[in-house]
């Protein structure tokens, strides 16, 4: 029997990726807060993804009469862009996006997605699987005109690091080492393997 | 002034990729034959892409009164999947697709796209730019059930190497080294740079 799968993310890109590989799932998002203690990028995304998954599970539990979640897998994920050990979040405005892209162009950076899978068995027992996946991204040199033209598309404004690899910015991605879908927001092949191990697929 | 751009490929995936990076272009496909002499994968895709572009240009010329193509860029492309120096084409049927995927799973292979750009200047003079781009693809181990389930989706049947990285098969791609879009069918960042150099962008 396949388990019930819950994706604990509001990101339309993560929904698309999980659908793309044929997984059937529901989406639940918690409005509980996420905080982290680490200062190491790989650890931060692990913490954040775990907290997202735990918050969704805790919301679920509040609505379950017998107090336990059974035969269910809850997935949390969080993606960050890292340049020289500094985390680039979503840009605050267009000028901030221009700044970020000016720093990213002509060199390589890392994208990390943290994945947390809470695997609830038939008796409600919980197994936690939590890991970061990193992809190295090489961005071509860009002129200021190219950066401003890309920012004018508004594509960067809702994205960590001020770019989306899956859109027009593809013109500037020289190459990657790692999982492409990890840069989009979910390392689907690794997640698929995890789900298979949990009995989620 | 931007040049007129013609994509000499019937592939809907290549059209989508060129549109994705914001290039405006027309599609022209020639029914002239393409043959190659080389036995080296990188050379074969160079030859095939060049012949596609030359065939489209020669069709165009037949319809031009003054006998010359001006301020126009013609793009040809051809993609192959290479495993241990053997070229894997499109599978002949479902069993052939199962065979190919059985060989590809659990290891790495190369995907090469040849790109040919014919750059016609204001006086009809032609510059030829022709190169291969390679991406290394690592496919996870797959069970026979997984291979047969993927083949049953029919997705492999029209694709060299019997898979499409952009669909459900993403579940089995561990990672890549190189340009993701090169595996889909067109190395967009390299093509974008070439077009910029030609005055096509």
């Amino acid at each position: 029997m396949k388990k019930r799968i819950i994706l604990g993310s509001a990101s339309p890109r993560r929904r698309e990726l999980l659908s793309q590989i044929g997984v059937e799932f529901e989406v639940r998002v918690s409005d509980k807060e996420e905080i982290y203690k680490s200062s190491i990028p790989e650890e931060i995304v692990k913490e954040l993804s775990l907290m997202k998954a735990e918050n969704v599970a805790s919301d679920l539990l509040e609505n379950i009469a017998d107090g336990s979640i059974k035969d269910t897998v809850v997935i949390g994920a969080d993606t960050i862009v890292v340049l020289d050990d500094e985390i680039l979040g979503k840009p605050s405005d267009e000028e901030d996006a221009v700044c970020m892209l000016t720093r990213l162009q002509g060199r390589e950076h890392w994208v990390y997605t943290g994945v947390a899978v809470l695997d609830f068995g038939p008796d409600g027992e919980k197994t936690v699987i939590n890991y970061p996946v990193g992809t190295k991204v090489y961005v071509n040199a860009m002129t200021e005109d190219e950066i401003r033209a890309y920012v004018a598309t508004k594509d960067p404004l809702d994205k960590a690091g001020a770019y989306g690899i899956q859109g027009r910015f593809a013109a500037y991605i020289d190459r990657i080492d790692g999982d492409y879908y990890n840069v989009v927001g979910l390392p689907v092949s690794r997640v698929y393997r995890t789900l298979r191990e949990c009995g989620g697929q």
Side-chain angles (χ1 to χ4, degrees), chain A:
Chain A
M1 196 200 74
K2 279 189 188 179
K3 289 181 176 172
R4 175 186 184 196
I5 297 177
I6 296 172
L7 175 65
S9 169
S11 154
R13 293 180 287 276
R14 290 203 180 98
R15 289 184 204 192
E16 277 168 32
L17 290 176
L18 207 52
S19 297
Q20 180 183 322
I21 60 166
V23 173
E24 288 179 20
F25 59 94
E26 303 156 49
V27 174
R28 295 289 172 97
V29 184
S30 174
D31 52 13
K32 291 196 171 80
E33 209 179 354
E34 295 140 23
I35 46 164
Y36 61 87
K37 292 173 186 166
S38 177
S39 57
I40 301 161
E42 294 95 313
E43 291 299 318
I44 293 172
V45 288
K46 275 180 67 179
E47 283 188 53
L48 286 171
S49 61
L50 183 59
M51 220 162 327
K52 280 185 183 178
E54 293 282 16
N55 286 345
V56 168
S58 124
D59 286 356
L60 276 178
L61 266 178
E62 288 166 14
N63 294 304
I64 293 173
D66 75 352
S68 78
I69 302 173
K70 290 168 188 165
D71 288 319
T72 298
V73 172
V74 179
I75 306 169
D78 196 82
T79 302
I80 58 174
V81 172
V82 179
L83 184 74
D84 298 333
D85 297 325
E86 185 189 330
I87 295 175
L88 304 184
K90 294 178 185 175
S92 51
D93 55 26
E94 296 199 8
E95 274 314 301
D96 193 27
V98 170
C99 271
M100 282 189 190
L101 292 167
T102 303
R103 294 181 60 196
L104 288 171
Q105 62 83 35
R107 51 171 301 185
E108 84 288 352
H109 65 271
W110 284 88
V111 176
Y112 293 100
T113 296
V115 174
V117 172
L118 310 182
D119 178 17
F120 295 92
D123 300 315
E125 73 282 15
K126 180 174 79 172
T127 308
V128 176
I129 305 152
N130 191 199
Y131 49 81
V133 176
T135 301
K136 205 170 180 179
V137 180
Y138 298 79
V139 180
N140 281 334
M142 296 174 75
T143 64
E144 195 187 330
D145 282 352
E146 286 173 329
I147 291 173
R148 292 199 175 271
Y150 176 59
V151 171
T153 67
K154 314 278 186 196
D155 191 42
L157 298 179
D158 67 334
K159 296 184 178 72
Y163 74 89
I165 195 172
Q166 69 279 18
R168 194 175 187 127
F169 200 75
Y172 305 108
I173 306 280
D174 183 49
R175 62 195 175 90
I176 67 168
D177 290 346
D179 182 348
Y180 167 83
Y181 297 105
N182 191 47
V183 184
V184 182
L186 196 71
V188 285
S189 74
R190 183 77 185 272
V191 169
Y192 173 78
R193 275 190 290 159
T194 306
L195 291 178
R196 206 169 48 181
E197 284 156 20
C198 298
Q201 283 300 290

